[in-house]
């Protein structure tokens, strides 16, 4: 790609625009052919043209904040505020690229430690200020939008200075970290002690420990290492009702496990300031490989068999035919021609790529685990693509957001959504969501590519992750996606007598934020919403914490 | 044991008294020698002498209950009420054996299905009646004591008629069961479909699915199959605020995981009526064996190494020297002499028995898993006792409560308590709790035997389960134990700068009930108690649900 594109501040994954993944000429041709994409590029407006509302933080509150955390940690310049204005959903990016509708905080406050976070909250209660906790800013559900609600002003609480590794217990395999620590820093610090978290979501390069906990994050290797909530041994939160510390043991029967209320609380029930996490010895050996299975059903049967016989690789990721095709075509014309020829020769009708990755402490453990996987997998007649494809997937596993930036420049509507359900209903749910997305976007004259993968398998079910590519509606880009998302979520949440297991969850690892809030009552029931509202009321009686996200107080 | 003993209704594990495990002459001699136990037996008073308070259920409420569930399902006879009067803690049993202080409900109601449970709750709200959910009645923390609180009368809700297996999904490995189903019935019904829950706590023979969920139960094979909460895919509760259904997928990021609020709610946040559970293929092969390790530290290091290298057997149970000695001596004089001689010859100074049990679908899987365990275990120089001792442990694994009945007849104070903490502090915590129990009971002139085992291991820590045997204080048997329990819990919850990891949980799998309630705020913090109280207020605004247990409303 030779055209030069301006990247606005946080209008893209990489604030500077550096590192946006280019598309090959073949990929662009293929995409134009498949979606009807035009030749016109759609660059973002320059930052100076983004509408930034006046800062309405009262002078007295500003002065108190300065006294508390220091003037250099209370940011009110438009550029600084814009740098923490919302997350990185397609809608967030489109708003910034167009320069309108961006939710910009009135101030950004950077407390030094958990004690300061607690005092900032108390200050915000006194001045009736909304508080939006902010880690890596990678929310794709509106979770860090600087909404003010009915408060006087919105303060974004950037936890970047809470970046300490508090302790590593090499006997118990527990590390305590502050919430603002970035995932790569956490891994680097743990590596010095011989440990890893093993938590690698696509947001890895920017996301924080606190953000992972607040959103019940799942990583690409979570089939092996467990979802983030399963790593959480303890958690410390600041709340308007006082500090809250949870976790005395790996397991307890002391009533409900309130760690599971703190984890996933999305800044609405407190600000997570420290997390005690299970760590594992850093792997010495690893191996990634890829195979092709013929058909989605066969592929998901294979992954189910692996999950139910405890033979999953740490990374186990099955792409459907469309995603397999896109991955291959975007990687280049030559590779694509070779692979399709191979698969034709092997009479594979519906090629679905399965990426497998194992980590291990010893060569023997690696071999044993890989053997266990293969003993099960063999029954499903996989076509091996070898380690090179697997390693290439690993090398590019965080590049999705960068590729998205490029696609946005090309005028593509590109967004993802995810769900999970039990195995018996999985394929049906995939078909229903696909159909809803295809129908909605086609009916508006923009036939999409809808791709799906299964990346998190459990004994009883699995996740489904959809990626949509379509020509962007330049007049109404937000509405175009909202209508598609609405239709998909209705397909996910519908209770139909014809659907075996009923329905899926509204989100498997993206959290609720603003975007899924309308469907929360369907997920946890009216009683569930009432309980959450009561919990919020108990810890945050005036409702300063992240208004408009997850749940409202009573 | 030749003496004949009367067993009162629920004054023992087996209501009829049949099946109480006799002690050998050697065991009785050894026990008398070790504890100073006298010759006098202490039989229970006959049921006719148990004080049963008048039933104070208002006539109008009684009539409505009869209209709702049928006369045969509203029990008000003294014997019927006594049959559901509290649980099976040492204090419960002592009160019944003495005939005083038993908390007897005013009526026992047996609803037919979840809908009737919901309507019974609504009726009880109208008539201001306390509702005590009752499954197997095996609580050892006062969880099913028929406390009335500030309500008009106490109704025990016996869920025995909710005993249906609703569905088995052989693809997803999920079974939906009603809450009142007994564990052995659940296993028998699942076995017909080729599945098992793999949940075998000592209360197995009597406990129910709903009780397991309400108390976050852990079973003897939970190192392999997972604690009960990890089996729960979904849960349905009746609450005064309406029916509440949770669980759409194996995992979700839709805010806090409220299943973890329902699980462990001990009847205080709703009555669990149905549970969707992960099941596993019933094992075809199993093997149990026992080894001796020299020293508690070496033993717990071995179990830690197994947990941290994912090589745990499904059952992994390490007894300290005292528990090993008691197990051996109670099993008979000849075995004891042979074993002690063997261990002397092998120069074992502090014999600690480790029982290991593996389940598997195939012989190969069994061998592979056993090999994996042994590869780690070998480093700790175990002395093999062979399969016979392991199989004998398995055969007797539910006999503890029966043996307790016999010990109670002999005038022994016999009770257990449990905790869990992280590995780094485990041995220190064991020493502290042991010391507290020894000190307290010795100071009252009744030097105890304090035994401990580690039966649930996690990557980051493990449980500790203590059993105490001492001569019973016939004047003040309840106070004797309460003082010991108080001292032990203080040792568990104490935050001391000299203690590496601080402290343990107030209960690893016995729940809170009445007995642990005073320490809940220390466990989850004042903010945690406030959140639980708010949740209770939201689902149970008038506070009818299980008053006095877990937490009070706001």
């Amino acid at each position: 790609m030779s055209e030069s594109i301006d990247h606005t501040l946080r209008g893209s994954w990489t604030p500077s625009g550096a590192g946006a993944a280019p598309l090959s000429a073949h990929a662009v041709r293929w995409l134009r052919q498949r979606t009807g994409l035009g030749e016109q590029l759609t660059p973002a407006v320059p930052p100076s043209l983004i509408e930034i509302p006046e800062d309405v933080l009262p002078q007295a509150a500003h002065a108190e904040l300065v006294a508390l955390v220091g003037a250099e940690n209370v940011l009110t310049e438009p550029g600084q505020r814009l740098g923490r204005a919302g997350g990185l959903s397609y809608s967030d990016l489109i708003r910034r690229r167009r320069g309108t509708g961006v939710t910009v905080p009135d101030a950004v406050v950077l407390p030094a430690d958990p004690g300061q976070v607690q005092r900032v909250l108390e200050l915000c209660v006194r001045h009736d200020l909304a508080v939006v906790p902010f880690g890596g800013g990678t929310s794709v559900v509106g979770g860090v939008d600087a909404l003010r609600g009915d408060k006087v002003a919105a303060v974004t609480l950037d936890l970047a200075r809470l970046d300490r590794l508090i302790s590593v217990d090499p006997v118990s395999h527990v590390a305590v970290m502050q919430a603002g620590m970035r995932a790569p820093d956490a891994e680097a610090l743990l590596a010095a002690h011989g440990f890893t978290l093993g938590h690698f979501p696509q947001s890895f390069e920017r996301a924080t420990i606190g953000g992972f906990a607040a959103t019940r994050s799942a990583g690409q290797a979570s089939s092996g290492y467990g979802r983030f909530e399963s790593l959480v041994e303890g958690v410390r939160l600041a709340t308007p009702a006082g500090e809250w510390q949870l976790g005395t043991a790996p397991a307890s029967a002391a009533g409900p496990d309130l760690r599971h209320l703190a984890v996933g609380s999305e800044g609405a029930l407190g600000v997570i300031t420290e997390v005690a996490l299970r760590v594992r010895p850093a792997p010495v050996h690893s191996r990634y490989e890829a195979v092709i299975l013929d058909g989605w059903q066969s592929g998901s049967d294979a992954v189910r068999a692996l999950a139910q016989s405890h033979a999953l690789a740490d990374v186990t990721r099955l792409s459907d035919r469309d995603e397999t095709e896109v991955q291959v075509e975007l990687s280049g014309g030559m590779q694509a021609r070779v692979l399709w020829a191979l698969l034709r020769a092997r009479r594979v009708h519906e090629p679905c790529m399965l990426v497998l990755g194992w980590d291990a402490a010893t060569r023997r453990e690696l071999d044993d685990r890989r053997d266990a996987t293969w003993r099960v997998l063999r029954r499903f007649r996989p076509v091996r693509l070898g380690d090179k494809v697997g390693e290439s997937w690993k090398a590019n596993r965080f590049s999705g957001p960068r590729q998205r930036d490029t696609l946005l420049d090309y005028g593509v509507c590109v967004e993802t959504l995810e769900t999970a359900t039990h195995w018996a209903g999985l394929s049906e749910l995939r078909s229903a969501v696909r159909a809803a997305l295809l129908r909605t976007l086609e009916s508006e004259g923009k036939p999409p590519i809808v791709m799906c993968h299964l990346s998190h398998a459990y004994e009883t079910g699995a996740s489904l992750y959809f990626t949509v590519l379509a020509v962007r509606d330049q007049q109404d880009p937000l509405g175009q996606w909202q209508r598609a998302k609405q239709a998909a979520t209705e397909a996910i949440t519908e209770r139909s007598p014809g659907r075996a297991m009923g329905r899926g969850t509204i989100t498997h690892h993206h959290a609720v934020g603003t975007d899924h809030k309308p469907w929360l009552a369907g997920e946890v029931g009216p009683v569930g919403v009432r309980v959450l509202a009561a919990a919020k009321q108990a810890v945050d009686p005036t409702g300063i914490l992240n208004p408009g996200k997850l749940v409202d107080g009573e």
Side-chain angles (χ1 to χ4, degrees), chain A:
Chain A
M1 160 183 170
S2 60
E3 299 97 330
S4 162
I5 299 288
D6 269 354
H7 285 269
T8 59
L9 196 62
R10 282 182 58 74
S12 64
W13 177 251
T14 45
S16 65
L23 287 175
S24 70
H26 171 80
V28 173
R29 260 198 317 277
W30 180 84
L31 205 59
R32 287 187 167 141
Q33 193 183 327
R34 272 291 304 264
T35 63
L37 194 65
E39 302 278 331
Q40 187 74 44
L41 287 181
T42 59
V45 302
S48 58
L49 292 187
I50 297 178
E51 294 164 11
I52 300 181
E54 275 302 294
D55 147 20
V56 297
L57 183 70
Q59 191 50 45
H62 183 267
E64 277 190 51
L65 283 167
V66 166
L68 183 54
V69 301
E72 68 282 18
N73 296 308
V74 182
L75 314 181
T76 50
E77 292 300 314
Q80 296 169 325
R81 291 158 55 210
L82 193 57
R84 282 81 164 185
L88 290 171
S89 70
Y90 173 68
S91 304
D92 287 329
L93 297 186
I94 289 295
R95 281 195 292 258
R96 280 194 223 106
R97 294 173 77 92
R98 291 158 62 99
T100 59
V102 182
T103 62
V104 183
D106 293 295
V108 177
V109 176
L110 293 106
D113 54 41
Q116 277 198 357
V117 173
Q118 182 62 36
R119 289 192 293 280
V120 169
L121 290 194
E122 286 156 14
L123 189 161
C124 290
V125 168
R126 280 202 310 280
H127 289 280
D128 206 30
L129 307 176
V131 176
V132 182
F134 192 96
T138 63
S139 171
V140 292
V141 294
V144 292
D145 283 4
L147 302 182
R148 193 201 297 178
D150 60 359
K151 303 289 127 189
V152 170
V155 170
T156 285
L157 201 66
D158 188 327
L159 297 161
R161 294 172 70 207
L162 277 78
D163 62 353
R164 285 183 53 217
L165 173 62
I166 305 284
S167 63
V168 178
D169 171 354
V171 175
S172 308
H173 291 193
V174 174
V176 181
M177 295 181 198
Q178 288 188 327
M181 182 181 285
R182 306 260 161 174
D185 297 337
E187 285 297 333
L189 288 166
L190 287 174
H193 294 266
F195 288 109
T196 182
L197 276 174
H199 194 71
F200 305 108
Q202 206 173 48
S203 60
F204 175 78
E205 294 166 309
R206 297 178 57 163
T208 61
I209 296 301
F212 290 151
T215 58
R216 305 185 84 80
S217 171
Q220 292 166 344
S222 289
S223 287
Y225 290 90
R227 292 167 61 87
F228 202 76
E229 70 250 33
S230 72
L231 312 184
V232 174
E233 295 283 319
V235 57
R236 179 178 176 187
L237 300 97
T239 84
E243 276 230 311
W244 190 12
Q245 193 129 17
L246 288 165
T248 55
S252 168
D257 189 343
L258 296 179
R259 293 179 300 187
H260 280 282
L261 205 61
V263 173
S265 59
E266 301 188 20
L269 301 178
V271 179
I272 294 172
T273 55
E274 280 178 14
V275 191
L277 292 160
R278 183 193 82 201
V279 293
R280 287 198 175 151
V284 178
H285 301 274
S286 83
R287 182 163 177 181
Y288 282 73
E289 59 188 309
V291 301
I292 294 286
L293 294 162
D294 193 0
W296 171 264
Q297 190 61 51
S298 168
S300 73
D301 284 350
V303 177
R304 176 166 70 89
L306 290 169
Q308 292 179 345
S309 52
H310 308 125
L312 282 171
D314 295 314
V315 170
T316 304
R317 183 187 181 94
L318 173 72
S319 296
D320 70 0
R321 178 173 38 190
D322 287 271
E323 187 169 286
T324 301
E325 186 185 351
V326 172
Q327 279 177 5
V328 170
E329 295 292 349
L330 293 196
S331 73
M334 178 66 96
Q335 288 95 315
R337 278 191 298 276
V338 171
L339 180 62
W340 302 143
L342 166 76
L343 294 174
R344 267 194 305 274
R346 299 287 292 268
R347 294 167 191 271
V348 172
H349 297 291
E350 187 192 336
C352 293
M353 194 187 295
L354 176 65
V355 174
L356 299 163
W358 301 265
D359 283 347
T362 62
R363 170 64 60 187
R364 175 176 182 161
E365 187 197 332
L366 186 71
D367 292 344
D368 283 354
R369 291 194 55 206
R370 185 166 171 273
D371 287 352
T373 303
W374 272 95
R375 268 204 298 278
V376 175
L377 195 57
R378 211 162 280 131
R379 301 205 303 266
F380 298 89
R381 301 166 179 262
V383 177
R384 294 182 191 237
L385 300 182
D387 292 12
K388 220 164 136 186
V389 178
E391 295 294 342
S392 151
W393 177 86
K394 186 185 183 188
N396 292 303
R397 62 180 170 165
F398 304 131
S399 69
R402 290 201 190 82
Q403 206 166 55
R404 183 172 62 158
D405 288 345
T406 308
L407 290 167
L408 288 174
D409 290 339
Y410 275 99
V412 178
C413 164
V414 47
E415 183 54 307
T416 66
L417 61 87
E418 28 74 76
T419 180
T421 193
H422 292 102
W423 289 112
L426 192 75
S427 290
E428 211 174 345
L429 182 59
R430 173 176 159 275
S431 300
V433 175
R434 251 182 81 74
L437 289 166
L438 287 165
R439 191 178 56 238
T440 312
L441 289 159
E442 270 169 14
S443 74
E444 302 185 5
K446 309 274 195 286
I449 305 172
V450 176
M451 310 172 248
C452 180
H453 65 247
L454 182 175
S455 50
H456 298 84
Y458 308 90
E459 286 176 69
T460 58
S463 67
L464 293 172
Y465 189 98
F466 296 89
T467 304
V468 177
L469 298 179
V471 172
R472 183 149 85 238
D473 181 331
Q474 294 298 344
Q475 265 56 59
D476 184 21
L478 298 180
Q480 177 190 24
W481 174 248
Q482 276 158 12
R483 290 185 291 275
K485 168 84 179 177
Q486 170 90 24
T489 309
E490 280 165 11
I492 288 168
T493 55
E494 179 182 55
R495 292 172 194 266
S496 129
R499 288 255 292 277
M501 293 292 291
R503 52 188 186 135
T505 174
I506 55 173
T507 172
H508 172 263
H509 58 268
H510 281 172
V512 176
T514 53
D515 296 6
H516 293 132
K517 196 165 168 251
W519 290 287
L520 187 63
E523 178 92 16
V524 301
V527 177
V529 171
R530 202 161 155 174
V531 165
L532 282 175
K536 179 165 176 67
Q537 192 72 24
V539 296
D540 178 26
T542 63
I544 63 163
L545 289 175
N546 220 6
K549 326 296 163 54
L550 185 62
V551 72
D552 304 314
E554 279 170 331

